[in-house]
């Protein structure tokens, strides 16, 4: 009986495994398909390549002959999958299902006598049931007896044209710039849209490589598109050393097929849905997301103390603020990250406990890789420091060290700083950590020779070229380890850590929660407009909820412009991500009640509709200027509700009519004003689509916010 059960168990296991994993033999075509797309692969004479790429939304095949599938160099010699098949032999493939994803894994083996000999390659494709998206990754395993160097990596390398390259527009720089072929994208190109203007279709190329190491090319070589990492000859080179019997997993890429009457809508359809729910945005994995942040940096700068922070907390109490961030100035030095006992005699914990008592959660700023030359960590481990081309310890963040150095995340410093952050988070019950300053590349230093690490002593990398990827890879690993230790912790990786002004990308938001994207300190109305401009410039590709933008003041101080426009300032930030500075000790009771009312309403709407995860502008709203109207919709199409934002800037027009293109034609909607609870109007979807809504704002530099809900 037991033997019978054992045999039955084995047979069932075999049956289940066959159901989950289908293995195809060589010379058998593979069709990878869902309701939106069909990608065909040909396997012949040991050669494997894409031979068809059909947009089922339109019925058109974009593939062109001669696709190489991928490309990289091994010890500076190129390998790819062209028809002559000089580097790899096809071995096998498996097709499995992981939830809502079909995964195709193609296994290749380096040819005997070639540069790829004893190198195994797995090419992995993910096809999502609900999106016209194929995601791709290369997994390289070194079976040789010595380290190999991978460079010039194209994860995706296809001949792909939306019918005609002659009638193709290219939208680059987060979907804000119209350009023309050929185009070579860089670190500001997390996604590039290739759009046939006559046929109203095309594709978006997504690059998940980190920071300045992204490279995406469109038709720089005939009909070829390539998505991958920078070349060795580029200013920020990618290079990865793989030790014997080790495996390297490349950053992922993706291609999203599109059918859209207006190019703007391509970023607000399946693409936006995939980014929000399929990509793996770390912030969106949280059960709840805090709404309003306050930061001490302005006007207090580094002049902090226990007494001051308590008074700031008192001032913020009753406003609905969620996170109070203690910025630069709490520490005795940079590197050891011990509390300044003169400013905080009892340490940080009592003041963090006080913040919690006042109904908020504490956050803390610190430099990730910056240390003082007199810090204990530097004195004990100078070998962990990044060094310049002359072999001297250097400070990557700015020109001139000023007694500061940058430590390498690709050294033993990694374990040190990870444990130091963990201790600070645990001891002080931190909800948020802001990590700052350059780790591999500076947003401020323009000399490319002053970037990366020229030292290999006590480092994971043997040369400067490989230092860039190693440092960024380890930085992302640190974020992952912090999230594992503290699942609820919010991690802010600033643009200074990430290496360029205004830089955010998929790699960052897949591992950290926020990117402090930039700062605008101009008084309103200019400052809030600057922030809405930056959000407009990024939100087509990167969810606005992941971008923190300083430094606009709440109702505080004595500046009349700040007090006059505090509502306009707050409601401007509410359409992006509310982050305020200023002196809360001067808040009036009336302003506190106003903030509380709005914060409570926005949080209620986010609980109900998750509106902060959406941003729609289509071609309805312009980029904000000092003299126009602008706005955005943050509407959950699945739940049919959200928030509408309208801004009259310096425009002479007191009213404007705006289309509402996301409405369902046969549905009914209620629009209402949350400030007074009055119904703004009831509309059919047909009316919203065809007639729109007329918004009246009597005075300049004023915002109007409406709730919208589908009703029976």
């Amino acid at each position: 009986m037991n033997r019978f059960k054992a045999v039955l168990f084995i047979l069932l296991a075999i049956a289940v495994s066959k159901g989950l994993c289908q293995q195809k033999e060589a010379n058998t075509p593979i069709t990878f398909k869902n309701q939106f797309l069909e990608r065909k692969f040909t396997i012949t004479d040991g050669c494997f390549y894409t031979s068809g790429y059909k947009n089922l939304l339109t019925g058109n095949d974009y593939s062109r002959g001669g696709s190489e599938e991928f490309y990289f160099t091994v010890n500076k010699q190129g390998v790819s999958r062209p028809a002559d098949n000089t580097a790899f032999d096809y071995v096998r493939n498996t097709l499995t299902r992981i939830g809502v994803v079909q995964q195709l894994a193609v296994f290749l083996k380096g040819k005997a006598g070639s540069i790829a000999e004893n190198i195994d390659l797995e090419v992995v494709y993910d096809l999502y049931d609900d999106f016209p998206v194929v995601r791709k990754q290369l997994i390289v395993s070194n079976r040789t007896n010595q380290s190999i160097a991978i460079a010039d990596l194209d994860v995706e390398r296809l001949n792909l044209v939306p019918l005609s390259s002659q009638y193709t527009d290219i939208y680059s720089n987060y979907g804000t710039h119209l350009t023309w072929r050929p185009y070579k994208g860089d670190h500001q190109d997390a996604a590039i849209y290739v759009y046939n203007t006559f046929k109203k279709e095309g594709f978006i190329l997504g690059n998940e490589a980190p920071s300045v190491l992204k490279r995406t090319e469109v038709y720089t070589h005939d009909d070829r598109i390539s998505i991958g990492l920078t070349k060795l000859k580029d200013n920020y080179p990618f290079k990865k050393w793989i030790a014997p019997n080790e495996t390297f997993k490349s950053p992922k890429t993706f291609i999203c097929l599109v059918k859209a009457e207006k190019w703007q809508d391509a970023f607000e359809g399946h693409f936006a849905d995939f980014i929000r729910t399929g990509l793996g945005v770390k912030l969106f994995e949280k059960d709840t997301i805090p709404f309003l942040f306050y930061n001490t940096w302005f006007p207090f700068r580094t002049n902090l103390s226990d007494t001051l922070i308590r008074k700031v907390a008192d001032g913020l109490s009753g406003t609905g603020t969620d996170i109070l961030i203690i910025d630069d100035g709490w520490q005795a030095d940079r590197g050891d990250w011990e509390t300044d006992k003169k400013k905080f005699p009892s340490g940080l914990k009592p003041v963090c406990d006080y913040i919690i008592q006042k109904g908020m959660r504490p956050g803390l700023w610190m430099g990730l890789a910056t240390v003082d030359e007199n810090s204990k960590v530097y004195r004990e481990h100078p070998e962990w420091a990044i060094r310049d081309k002359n072999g001297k310890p250097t400070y990557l963040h700015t020109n001139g060290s000023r007694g500061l150095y940058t430590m390498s995340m690709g050294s033993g410093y990694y374990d040190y700083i990870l444990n130091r952050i963990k201790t600070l988070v645990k001891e002080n019950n931190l909800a948020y950590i802001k990590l700052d300053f350059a780790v591999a590349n500076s947003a401020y230093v323009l000399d490319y020779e002053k970037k990366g690490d020229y030292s290999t002593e006590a480092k994971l990398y043997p040369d400067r070229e490989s230092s860039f990827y190693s440092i960024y890879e380890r930085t992302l690993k640190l974020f992952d380890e912090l999230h594992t230790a503290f699942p609820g912790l919010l991690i802010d990786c600033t643009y200074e850590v990430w290496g360029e002004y205004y830089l955010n990308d998929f790699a960052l938001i897949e591992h950290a929660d926020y990117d402090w994207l930039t700062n605008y300190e101009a008084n309103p109305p200019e400052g809030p407009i600057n922030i809405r401009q930056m959000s407009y410039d990024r939100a087509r590709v990167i969810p606005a909820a992941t971008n923190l933008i300083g430094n606009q003041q709440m109702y505080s101080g004595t500046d009349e412009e700040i007090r006059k426009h505090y509502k306009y300032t707050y409601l401007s930030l509410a359409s992006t991500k509310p982050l305020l500075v200023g002196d809360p000790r001067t808040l009036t009771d009336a302003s506190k009640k106003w903030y509380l009312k709005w914060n409570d309403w926005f949080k209620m709407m986010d609980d109900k509709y998750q509106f902060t995860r959406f941003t729609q502008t289509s071609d309805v709203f312009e980029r904000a200027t000092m003299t126009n109207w602008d706005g955005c919709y943050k509407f959950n199409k699945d739940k049919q509700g959200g928030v509408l934002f309208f801004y009259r800037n310096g425009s002479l027009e007191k009213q404007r009519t705006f289309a509402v293109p996301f409405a369902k034609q046969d549905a009914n909607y209620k629009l209402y004003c949350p400030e007074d609870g009055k119904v703004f109007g009831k509309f059919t979807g047909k009316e919203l689509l065809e007639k729109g809504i007329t918004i009246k704002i009597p005075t300049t530099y004023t915002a109007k916010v409406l709730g919208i809900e589908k009703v029976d």
Side-chain angles (χ1 to χ4, degrees), residues 55-267:
N55 186 342
L56 298 182
L57 297 166
T58 65
N60 293 314
D61 191 337
Y62 297 163
S63 65
R64 300 292 183 269
S67 288
E68 294 177 78
E69 204 63 33
F70 60 82
Y71 179 86
F72 57 90
T73 62
V74 177
N75 300 335
K76 297 186 178 181
Q77 296 188 47
V79 298
S80 66
R81 295 294 302 158
D84 57 7
N85 188 28
T86 58
F88 287 97
D89 278 328
Y90 170 86
V91 178
R92 62 188 175 90
N93 74 83
T94 59
L95 183 61
T96 60
R97 172 167 287 280
I98 306 171
V100 296
V101 179
Q102 300 178 61
Q103 186 172 92
L104 171 67
V106 179
F107 298 87
L108 309 173
K109 189 173 184 60
K111 275 181 169 292
S114 76
I115 188 63
E117 184 175 4
N118 293 321
I119 296 175
D120 293 340
L121 179 63
E122 184 179 353
V123 189
V124 181
Y125 304 84
D126 289 337
L127 177 61
Y128 294 76
D129 290 349
D130 299 326
F131 313 116
V133 172
V134 174
R135 206 171 183 185
K136 185 177 179 183
Q137 183 179 41
L138 302 184
I139 302 174
V140 185
S141 298
N142 180 10
R143 307 304 181 199
T144 72
N145 58 9
Q146 59 186 358
S147 295
I148 59 172
I150 301 297
D152 295 356
L153 174 62
D154 284 341
V155 177
E156 190 74 275
R157 188 164 176 149
L158 298 174
N159 293 342
L160 203 67
V161 180
L163 302 180
S164 169
S165 59
Q166 181 179 357
Y167 300 114
T168 297
D169 286 343
I170 297 170
Y171 292 91
S172 64
N173 202 276
Y174 301 91
T176 62
H177 287 62
L178 170 64
T179 186
W180 195 244
R181 59 186 172 91
Y183 179 74
K184 181 179 178 180
D186 62 11
H187 49 272
Q188 299 288 11
D189 287 304
I192 296 173
Y193 183 28
V194 183
Y195 181 55
N196 186 306
T197 55
F198 284 86
K199 295 295 185 178
K200 310 298 184 185
E201 61 184 280
F203 48 81
I204 298 174
L205 307 176
N207 193 329
E208 299 176 49
S211 184
V212 294
L213 299 178
K214 287 184 288 297
R215 177 179 55 85
T216 307
E217 296 186 23
V218 182
Y219 308 144
T220 56
H221 296 81
D222 299 322
D223 293 335
R224 189 171 80 197
I225 60 95
S226 56
I227 317 170
L229 292 109
T230 49
K231 296 183 178 181
L232 277 178
K233 66 180 182 180
D234 290 338
N235 293 323
Y236 309 103
F238 161 76
K239 188 178 186 181
K240 175 68 178 181
W241 285 92
I242 310 174
N245 296 315
E246 288 192 352
T247 295
F248 163 62
K249 293 185 178 181
S250 77
K252 294 181 180 181
T253 66
F254 64 86
I255 299 176
C256 177
L257 299 186
V258 173
K259 178 184 179 182
E261 286 299 312
K262 299 174 290 187
W263 71 264
Q264 297 93 334
D265 291 348
F267 291 101

Side-chain angles (χ1 to χ4, degrees), residues 422-479:
K422 284 182 176 179
T423 298
L424 287 166
V425 172
K426 186 175 181 179
E427 286 182 350
N428 301 293
N429 199 14
L430 299 178
Y432 162 102
I433 189 81
K434 178 183 178 183
L435 302 174
D436 212 358
F437 299 150
V439 295
N441 175 62
S442 171
Y444 310 112
V445 178
L446 301 182
D447 186 346
Y448 296 114
E449 291 189 356
K450 295 182 178 180
K451 300 166 186 284
D453 189 0
Y454 288 84
S455 167
T456 62
E457 179 189 0
K459 308 291 173 55
L460 294 177
Y461 38 84
D463 49 42
R464 173 179 175 264
E465 291 84 0
S466 59
S467 71
F468 289 94
Y469 187 78
S470 179
I471 289 170
Y472 282 119
E473 183 181 40
R474 295 276 282 180
T475 300
L476 295 175
K477 183 173 183 285
L478 180 133
F479 300 156

Side-chain angles (χ1 to χ4, degrees), residues 322-597:
D322 295 297
I323 306 285
L324 193 168
I325 304 165
I326 302 171
D327 210 280
D328 193 1
W330 63 270
Q331 71 282 2
D333 63 45
R334 297 176 182 181
D336 298 332
W337 300 108
E338 298 289 348
T339 308
D340 186 332
K341 293 297 185 180
K342 293 181 180 178
K343 296 180 177 181
F344 298 88
S346 301
L348 281 178
K349 188 176 188 309
V351 75
C352 288
D353 288 344
Y354 190 79
I355 291 169
I356 294 170
Q357 290 172 18
K358 291 294 179 178
M360 294 166 282
R361 296 291 306 280
L364 191 68
W365 169 96
M366 66 184 297
L368 181 56
T370 293
V371 301
D372 287 325
E373 61 181 349
N374 294 321
S375 64
K376 181 180 178 183
V377 64
Y378 177 73
R379 286 186 283 108
E380 291 183 352
H381 293 285
E383 73 277 9
W384 292 346
I386 287 176
R387 296 178 182 267
D388 64 18
K389 60 183 178 181
N390 298 315
K392 295 181 179 180
T394 189
Y395 186 46
L396 293 179
H397 191 62
T398 59
N399 283 314
S401 69
R402 300 177 298 156
L404 298 172
Y405 297 125
T406 302
M407 303 293 259
S408 172
M409 298 298 290
S411 72
Y413 178 77
Y414 174 94
D415 293 316
Y416 163 79
I417 196 63
L418 174 61
N419 289 327
R420 192 73 197 98
I421 297 170
K422 284 182 176 179
T423 298
L424 287 166
V425 172
K426 186 175 181 179
E427 286 182 350
N428 301 293
N429 199 14
L430 299 178
Y432 162 102
I433 189 81
K434 178 183 178 183
L435 302 174
D436 212 358
F437 299 150
V439 295
N441 175 62
S442 171
Y444 310 112
V445 178
L446 301 182
D447 186 346
Y448 296 114
E449 291 189 356
K450 295 182 178 180
K451 300 166 186 284
D453 189 0
Y454 288 84
S455 167
T456 62
E457 179 189 0
K459 308 291 173 55
L460 294 177
Y461 38 84
D463 49 42
R464 173 179 175 264
E465 291 84 0
S466 59
S467 71
F468 289 94
Y469 187 78
S470 179
I471 289 170
Y472 282 119
E473 183 181 40
R474 295 276 282 180
T475 300
L476 295 175
K477 183 173 183 285
L478 180 133
F479 300 156
D480 292 341
E481 292 206 44
L482 286 173
H483 276 131
T484 299
F486 309 101
L489 180 67
L490 297 166
I491 300 173
D492 180 358
C493 171
T494 68
Y495 74 94
E496 293 180 330
V497 168
W498 218 227
E500 278 289 344
Y501 263 130
Y502 317 134
L503 179 61
N504 197 350
D505 59 25
F506 299 133
L508 190 154
I509 63 175
E510 288 166 14
H511 297 271
D513 300 283
Y514 295 108
D515 178 353
W516 192 294
L517 195 59
T518 189
N519 294 302
Y520 295 112
E521 294 190 357
N523 277 359
E526 182 180 355
I529 289 175
N530 291 154
I531 287 177
R532 299 203 311 273
Q533 288 171 338
M534 180 52 62
S535 182
Y536 186 93
D537 292 344
R538 292 293 176 270
R540 280 197 176 100
V541 171
I542 304 296
T546 67
N547 291 322
L548 298 176
I549 308 175
N551 280 325
Q552 287 301 294
Q553 296 188 60
M554 61 199 322
Y555 183 100
S556 63
T558 59
D559 192 300
E560 286 303 315
E561 285 299 304
I562 293 171
R563 289 178 178 245
K564 176 182 177 182
H565 293 293
Y566 80 94
K567 295 180 180 180
Y568 178 74
T569 297
Y570 170 86
L571 293 175
S572 291
L573 272 60
S575 69
T576 59
K577 173 61 187 174
L579 167 68
L580 289 166
V581 298
D583 188 347
R585 297 173 300 178
T586 61
L587 286 170
T588 62
D589 289 341
S591 64
K592 281 189 176 187
K593 289 178 181 178
W594 186 87
Y595 282 121
L596 179 61
K597 183 175 182 177

